[in-house]
Amino acid sequence: MDMIKIILPGIYSSIQDNGRRGYRKFGMPLSGAMDPYAFRRGNLILGNKPGSAAVEITGHGFECEFQGDAKICVTGADLGVELKRGNKKINLGKIISVKKGERLNFTRTVCGLRAYMHIAGGIDSAVRMGSRSMQRSEKLNAGDKLGVLENSTGLSRGYYSNSYIEESGDYILRVRKGPDANLFPDKYLKQLKKAVFTVSSYHDRMGIRLDHSIKIEPVVKSIVTKPVFPGCIQMPGNGSPIIIMNDGQTTGGYPIWVVIEKEDLRIAGQLKSGDNIKFLHV
Amino acid sequence: MHYKVFNPAENYILLDFGNKIDEKLNKYVIALAECIKHKAIIEIIPAYSNLLIEYDSNEIGVKALKTYLKRLRPVISETQGKIIEIPVVYGGEYGPDLSFVARRNGISEEEVISLHSSIIYRVYMLGFLPGFCYLGGMDSRISCERLEMPRLKIPKGSVGIAGMQTGIYPEASPGGWRLIGRTAFELFRPQEIEPFPIHAGDNVKFTPISREDAKWI
């Protein structure tokens, strides 16, 4: 049954779940929620089965209309979510009862970049190669209607806090040495402590390019192509590091210096242009 | 076979068999990937000389996982993998760089076609785009450097050459490969149960066909 109608898709909106497993050996990207923590928590709070699909919304400008009564939960970035019932502000991580005909608006970017709109039961869309996640060539468009599954457990657990998302856009990301760390002299790891990296305007679900003022060059520039995964930081010859993200290539030919800790990927998924990052080697 | 083990994330380990492209090594990597059967292992991604494993860190620790992998005894099969035939229309508007590749190597266009289609190429790995095969074994007499200015859009099915490599674009994409032909063979079939007809370890052979034989033109 159609439950959600997309009125405005905003910059970019897509259906996402835990991603696609088993096909990366064929070059198929992992996909899945860029902020896995916010995604997981939304399902937990609504009592959905783990990995139930949600709408991932990038920045403000998204608007949808409900085609029936439903329970929803919004997690992730604070995008000034309002229910057009006297412009009532919606709190993140709370179960909200919406009624047929009501509209949900994402009005402004307060902090972070990506929010998740979960609905009780989870979004029903075609499962392709084991996942409902949209691929990088796909997106939600105005007028699209989304159905809902009816497999909620009805048991609400946990809470959500987006305290890891900073309004200032200043972050510390924990990293460990990558498989090609030996190509980078140790002095760079010392520089890494002080260096500030700025998120460039080249960032999307495939990867995040960072600008920085220090010079970091691998001893060897070209390596045999090998598998990469979300969180890997590639160092191309020109020195602008790229964080590989969920829709990124499955293999890469640039050295991987450091890798973002799994627990901090939720922060990477919230990075936007102009945010400043420091890396902490752990 | 000796390999280095990296633990680049809480849920990944990477086995590194040496930074090189080598058939024997690659066969071993693929054989090892095929004999891994463990409930805590989520996904296995083999490449030229690396094997990436995603695992559930709540189910198994790195140490136990390393021990499990060390005990495996992969068997490299001596028989050649299956050969997949790819029909290609060479030259003309489908291979705008065929004449350049010929001139560059001081041979005729027919010789380029003949050299390109007479070899059985081994699929070392897939990556870059869904279904893209990294092929090994191209004849050095048809090698050609990439375009200085990459094309903004290369049509799906284009067959190209870049340095010592040859490959097929599974979907339209920007790229700097020298295009010598085009195929209707689908490398990625999202609607099918088995979306990827070619696997690492298979072999590929290009068969020249005329424009008349190519029903898709």
Side-chain angles (χ1 to χ4, degrees):
Chain A
M1 183 192 144
D2 288 339
M3 191 55 98
I4 301 163
K5 184 180 171 190
I6 310 295
I7 306 297
L8 295 168
I11 304 169
Y12 181 78
S13 306
S14 60
I15 298 169
Q16 297 295 337
D17 58 12
N18 278 329
R20 200 162 268 117
R21 294 281 185 324
Y23 295 93
R24 279 190 278 177
K25 65 180 173 188
F26 300 118
M28 194 76 201
L30 183 61
S31 296
M34 291 275 277
D35 178 342
Y37 177 78
F39 172 76
R40 205 164 54 237
R41 285 280 157 165
N43 277 332
L44 196 65
I45 290 164
L46 273 179
N48 285 346
K49 282 186 183 168
S52 295
V55 179
E56 184 181 271
I57 293 137
T58 312
H60 62 271
F62 176 90
E63 185 177 339
C64 69
E65 186 182 280
F66 297 98
Q67 313 281 289
D69 296 355
K71 282 187 164 55
I72 63 160
C73 177
V74 181
T75 60
D78 184 348
L79 301 179
V81 189
E82 289 172 6
L83 193 61
K84 271 198 182 164
R85 186 198 291 162
N87 290 350
K88 187 183 159 197
K89 197 178 176 321
I90 295 296
N91 288 320
L92 295 178
K94 299 285 178 233
I95 299 176
I96 314 288
S97 294
V98 294
K99 295 204 163 37
K100 186 180 175 179
E102 284 186 329
R103 288 189 175 190
L104 199 66
N105 260 355
F106 290 60
T107 62
R108 62 193 184 283
T109 303
V110 179
C111 69
L113 183 64
R114 292 185 177 87
Y116 295 86
M117 187 183 72
H118 293 266
I119 188 154
I123 290 186
D124 184 15
S125 63
V127 177
R128 290 161 308 167
M129 289 177 257
S131 166
R132 290 192 164 85
S133 286
M134 284 182 155
Q135 293 156 42
R136 60 183 176 227
S137 55
E138 302 169 317
K139 61 183 167 83
L140 289 172
N141 294 303
D144 284 355
K145 287 180 177 175
L146 308 176
V148 173
L149 294 166
E150 287 173 14
N151 61 5
S152 171
T153 63
L155 179 67
S156 177
R157 277 272 161 86
Y159 63 93
Y160 177 70
S161 160
N162 70 354
S163 59
Y164 58 94
I165 305 172
E166 303 288 348
E167 237 179 290
S168 64
D170 296 336
Y171 294 102
I172 294 172
L173 289 172
R174 292 169 298 170
V175 293
R176 60 173 84 179
K177 279 187 185 181
D180 303 308
N182 62 329
L183 298 181
F184 297 86
D186 274 349
K187 64 175 183 191
Y188 289 142
L189 269 182
K190 290 191 189 102
Q191 284 189 33
L192 190 64
K193 275 186 194 161
K194 295 172 217 150
V196 176
F197 294 80
T198 306
V199 177
S200 76
S201 53
Y202 298 98
H203 66 85
D204 57 17
R205 286 186 44 88
M206 287 177 69
I208 300 163
R209 192 186 291 179
L210 305 174
D211 292 330
H212 66 100
S213 52
I214 55 164
K215 201 171 166 64
I216 306 164
E217 269 182 34
V219 183
V220 180
K221 283 192 178 127
S222 170
I223 54 155
V224 170
T225 300
K226 69 155 143 324
V228 293
F229 53 89
C232 283
I233 301 186
Q234 275 191 338
M235 303 295 290
N238 68 12
S240 277
I242 295 166
I243 308 173
I244 306 277
M245 294 302 291
N246 299 45
D247 285 351
Q249 292 182 14
T250 55
T251 55
Y254 294 116
I256 306 295
W257 180 24
V258 289
V259 179
I260 296 170
E261 285 288 326
K262 189 188 175 197
E263 288 297 324
D264 284 1
L265 282 177
R266 58 183 178 177
I267 297 173
Q270 295 294 352
L271 293 174
K272 56 183 188 294
S273 304
D275 285 354
N276 291 312
I277 307 167
K278 283 184 176 181
F279 290 111
L280 180 69
H281 178 233
V282 291
Chain B
M1 201 168 289
H2 181 73
Y3 54 81
K4 278 191 273 185
V5 183
F6 295 97
N7 190 205
E10 194 187 306
N11 51 330
Y12 285 100
I13 67 164
L14 181 79
L15 312 184
D16 181 4
F17 292 80
N19 187 39
K20 59 181 172 184
I21 300 172
D22 175 270
E23 185 171 343
K24 222 177 126 189
L25 210 69
N26 181 251
K27 277 186 171 169
Y28 188 86
V29 170
I30 293 168
L32 181 62
E34 277 167 5
C35 71
I36 296 171
K37 304 262 185 289
H38 195 292
K39 62 174 175 37
I41 289 173
I42 298 165
E43 196 167 8
I44 304 158
I45 305 141
Y48 279 119
S49 54
N50 287 277
L51 189 61
L52 180 70
I53 299 168
E54 187 186 8
Y55 63 98
D56 183 347
S57 56
N58 294 319
E59 291 284 330
I60 193 168
V62 185
K63 219 176 150 188
L65 187 54
K66 280 185 193 172
T67 309
Y68 166 76
L69 293 167
K70 280 257 148 52
R71 283 193 188 135
L72 296 174
R73 293 283 170 266
V75 180
I76 300 169
S77 100
E78 289 304 317
T79 56
Q80 204 177 36
K82 65 176 184 216
I83 299 172
I84 294 135
E85 214 182 284
I86 313 260
V88 179
V89 179
Y90 284 97
E93 59 177 305
Y94 304 104
D97 302 325
L98 178 65
S99 61
F100 183 86
V101 174
R103 273 204 313 279
R104 193 92 182 101
N105 290 284
I107 54 175
S108 68
E109 291 186 15
E110 289 69 32
E111 283 171 302
V112 174
I113 296 170
S114 156
L115 288 169
H116 188 258
S117 59
S118 60
I119 283 171
I120 292 173
Y121 300 92
R122 179 181 154 74
V123 180
Y124 277 83
M125 59 181 281
L126 285 85
F128 169 49
L129 291 169
F132 182 86
C133 302
Y134 288 86
L135 305 175
M138 196 184 76
D139 195 307
S140 61
R141 286 173 289 175
I142 55 169
S143 75
C144 193
E145 73 278 12
R146 285 162 201 253
L147 289 171
E148 267 178 34
M149 189 74 83
R151 288 185 175 95
L152 291 176
K153 196 178 178 188
I154 286 180
K156 177 180 169 179
S158 293
V159 176
I161 288 173
M164 279 296 294
Q165 268 190 301
T166 184
I168 309 153
Y169 278 85
E171 59 186 71
S173 141
W177 290 45
R178 303 279 178 175
L179 308 182
I180 60 167
R182 204 185 295 172
T183 181
F185 188 93
E186 302 259 1
L187 294 166
F188 177 32
R189 305 168 182 186
Q191 308 306 327
E192 294 183 17
I193 296 165
E194 295 277 351
F196 299 97
I198 305 180
H199 296 202
D202 288 346
N203 299 283
V204 159
K205 191 179 182 309
F206 296 104
T207 306
I209 56 164
S210 66
R211 292 165 146 266
E212 292 72 41
D213 290 340
K215 294 187 190 73
W216 44 277
I217 291 174

